[in-house]
Amino acid sequence: MSPSRDPPDSSFEDQFTGLDLHILGLGTEYPAINLAPEDLGPFAKRFYPSTPALEKVLAINHYTGIDTRSSIGTIDHPIVNKPEPPTIADLCEVFLKDGVALSVAACRKAMAEWGGSVDEITHVVATTCTNSANPGFDHYVVKELGVSQSVEKVLLHGVGCSGGLAALRTAANLALGASYQKKPARILVLACEISSVLARSELESIHQNQEVRIGLLLFSDCASCVVLSNGIGDNKNREPIYDLLGWKHEMLHDTEKELGFDVDPHGWKVVLTPKVPELAASSVPPIFEKLVRSVPELAKRNNTSPSNFDWALHPGGSTIITGVEEVMDLTPEFFRASYDIYINHGNSSSATIFSVMNRLREMGEGKEYVVGCAFGPGISVEMAMLRRRRGIEGLPTEALD
């Protein structure tokens, strides 16, 4: 996986060597409004009568472990208070207004921390599963930021909650391609989701099909961004936030019907079966072992127990976090950032993982190495190995503004 032109050394087969990839800036933007569990009942009953399915969903709503979900609007927002659920065209209009605004703010935060110029941006890799506009939302973000029209853009779709790490993996490979050509790469990696406006669509399915659907209890709105560099021409006086040391992506066999996000005239419908927490958690140990073996500086050590790492786990739900805790024999402290984001903001799908990474570094000293992990439709598993460059245990933690 080195950008070198030389044939790989067989002793390092399937290993990441000489990547020189760094996260230089990181920004997260949540909307100002927070929805509490007690908001859902009155909202649902504006439009739908009490039924066994609805009452069960409302009961589960008080046991998700989420205190507040970040949202672009209150339960009185016009988009969710029409006589009929909003159409996909209605939702697109809202996304291109509010989603683009959140995205621009997140990018500006990441770029301000990096300290570079918008003219230095060489690529943009973006992802969302809550919009399918053409041109994509990234087009409007680039335009608003003033990024060059010759920037290389990639927009990922169909990757759901794993989208943040999928975008980072894609950006990493683009950066390595630039390194091969001896060119600098400064890549905006952006994820944005506007999920709160899908509430009416989910409630409609609960009412019409008498299904117990919990997606509207978990999902929230957010945009997040990182600036990834290939090291060529970096300001050596500015310490990166994280080094990116390697990654793994695997699909779990015959799990397409367990986790998904199906297109519908009224937006998208969450597919989330009770099997997901166990399937997701059980996939982590073997992928973690493969990832550790693929990073030479870790493969040479004997202290590669999961407890020697901090964990930036996508908080898809409380049972997913506790499931990974159990299979990896870890305490909640290792997932402190994941819990914090989940409790205070909910699950913002692809945008959540960068938010967790950001929150983790704000929490002070931690382990030198951080495992990023997220699960998406398919089921697909994304995992990345990061090395902290600021705030390592035993070293001073850089003060945050």
Side-chain angles (χ1 to χ4, degrees), residues 337-357:
S338 300
Y339 276 115
D340 184 275
I341 294 299
Y342 180 72
I343 291 167
N344 294 299
H345 297 286
N347 175 357
S348 304
S349 191
S350 69
T352 316
I353 190 67
F354 296 152
S355 179
V356 172
M357 289 163 53

Side-chain angles (χ1 to χ4, degrees), residues 239-256:
E239 191 81 358
I241 304 168
Y242 296 105
D243 296 331
L244 178 59
L245 304 180
W247 52 86
K248 291 292 179 187
H249 167 245
E250 293 198 14
M251 296 177 289
L252 307 187
H253 185 63
D254 283 341
T255 57
E256 295 86 356

Side-chain angles (χ1 to χ4, degrees), residues 6-61:
D6 298 327
D9 185 336
S10 61
S11 64
F12 286 100
E13 188 176 359
D14 297 326
Q15 288 196 333
F16 294 90
T17 58
L19 299 187
D20 203 20
L21 299 175
H22 316 284
I23 293 175
L24 303 179
L26 210 168
T28 299
E29 187 72 11
Y30 283 103
I33 295 168
N34 292 314
L35 299 177
E38 53 267 26
D39 293 328
L40 182 60
F43 171 71
K45 291 183 178 180
R46 285 180 189 174
F47 305 99
Y48 304 100
S50 176
T51 63
L54 179 58
E55 293 304 325
K56 187 165 185 179
V57 169
L58 294 178
I60 295 170
N61 183 43

Side-chain angles (χ1 to χ4, degrees), residues 181-201:
Q181 300 176 72
K182 296 181 168 41
K183 295 180 179 179
R186 303 294 181 271
I187 306 177
L188 287 182
V189 188
L190 167 65
C192 179
E193 305 292 1
I194 304 296
S195 305
S196 62
V197 292
L198 301 176
R200 282 291 301 281
S201 178

